[in-house]
Amino acid sequence: QLPIVLTGVSSGIGARTAQILSGRGVPLIGIDRNAPTQFSGTFVQADLSSQAGLDAAAAAAAAAAPHGIAGLANIAGVPGTAPWRTVLSVNVFGVRGLVRTLAPLLGEGTAVVNLASSVAVQWRDVKERCSAFALAADQAAALDSVANDKEITGESYLFSKQCVRFLTEHLAAELLPQRIRVNSVSPGPVATPILEDFKKDHGRDKVEGAGALLGRFGEPDDIAPVIDFLLRPESGWVNGSDIRVDGGLGAYRGSALA
Ligand code: NAI
């Protein structure tokens, strides 16, 4: 059985996804900047915020999977409390880089899943900006080009996740001839370490208010089974889609009741 490559395996949603995949006997190659406390498979310690880290991660994954891989889940993510260059590098170019470099290892019928976010609403309005940024040939130049755009640098997490939705559709189209599917999952607020950063970034009241509206925060177990489903052949006709898994938050915010 070919392995699945996952990023962000050392915490939260990625750790739970790894457990579920291991539980059904899938060999794993896990990538994270932090070593996991619990992980069964080949672990690659790499920082996906730099090109060097991305290259090292892709090379180590390729070396561990000489016969190819059965899927790729880009779960690692950085909150908006980190410097905007780091947020955009990991959340956008990390995803693009791993998909493009590992695509040759992904055979027909395999799948890629990217983690976007339920906050990335109205993404069609920013499609042109995401297209110019996320598809730029030169990553460093793309980052420099938005350095004075306060809307982007001030809301780097939101923009990064809008770009993930955009990239997901774009990569699904790009990889359609190879029969590799690409989908995204957009969680609402999930009780993992990143939630504390969201409280600092978006405001404690807003995040706590969302939890109160929904009755509870999400758990990794609300999200990981959806990622698992998108990696399996049973979801073979789901392609280029985003699945919002947010307890109804997006529906509420987009409604006349909000
Ligand atoms: P988490 O903070 O528990 O896990 C994130 C993982 O990504 C950590 O293991 C971390 O070490 C890894 N990571 C961060 N920067 C990295 C880098 N430069 N190189 C390598 N690994 C790096 O967060 P959680 O909740 O598991 O988040 C998973 C994904 O879900 C992220 O993409 C996040 O943006 C997204 N998401 C999470 C939500 C939440 O409320 N928890 C809501 C919406 C989206």
Side-chain angles (χ1 to χ4, degrees):
Q1 198 174 355
L2 295 177
I4 286 180
V5 176
L6 298 109
T7 70
V9 291
S10 299
S11 181
I13 296 167
R16 184 64 194 128
T17 306
Q19 278 177 351
I20 290 177
L21 291 170
S22 285
R24 62 177 177 90
V26 179
L28 300 179
I29 299 172
I31 300 169
D32 204 294
R33 68 177 164 186
N34 298 326
T37 46
Q38 231 194 346
F39 177 76
S40 52
T42 304
F43 176 68
V44 178
Q45 192 153 15
D47 183 343
L48 299 170
S49 66
S50 71
Q51 189 62 52
L54 203 58
D55 290 345
H67 305 294
I69 59 176
L72 166 65
N74 287 299
I75 303 176
V78 179
T81 44
W84 66 265
R85 276 181 197 269
T86 309
V87 176
L88 297 179
S89 296
V90 176
N91 296 3
V92 181
F93 295 120
V95 170
R96 181 182 86 171
L98 278 188
V99 175
R100 290 221 171 119
T101 48
L102 296 181
L105 297 177
L106 285 159
E108 194 173 321
T110 61
V112 175
V113 180
N114 302 320
L115 266 284
S117 169
S118 154
V119 299
V121 289
Q122 293 173 332
W123 69 282
R124 281 180 197 284
D125 296 340
V126 292
K127 201 165 181 173
E128 275 171 35
R129 281 202 290 180
C130 285
S131 169
F133 180 76
L135 299 183
D138 184 336
Q139 176 176 330
L143 287 166
D144 287 342
S145 76
V146 300
N148 295 319
D149 188 329
K150 291 278 175 288
E151 249 183 315
I152 290 179
T153 59
E155 291 279 8
S156 60
Y157 183 79
L158 171 65
F159 182 66
S160 75
K161 294 303 189 179
Q162 287 168 328
C163 286
V164 171
R165 293 252 194 109
F166 167 80
L167 266 181
T168 296
E169 272 198 7
H170 181 87
L171 292 167
E174 198 173 286
L175 298 174
L176 191 57
Q178 283 104 292
R179 304 286 173 250
I180 299 167
R181 297 180 297 116
V182 187
N183 293 292
S184 59
V185 174
S186 283
V190 178
T192 67
I194 211 173
L195 198 62
E196 279 307 307
D197 295 289
F198 291 159
K199 288 178 187 170
K200 287 181 202 143
D201 190 25
H202 307 299
R204 187 163 291 272
D205 289 352
K206 194 170 175 195
V207 176
E208 296 288 1
L213 174 74
L214 300 171
R216 65 172 176 90
F217 288 118
E219 294 295 332
D221 245 333
D222 291 308
I223 313 298
V226 181
I227 299 172
D228 178 40
F229 168 69
L230 290 171
L231 288 168
R232 294 155 74 140
E234 286 87 339
S235 62
W237 204 239
V238 185
N239 194 8
S241 291
D242 178 72
I243 299 188
R244 197 166 64 188
V245 189
D246 68 351
L249 185 62
Y252 182 83
R253 288 204 172 136
S255 78
L257 302 171

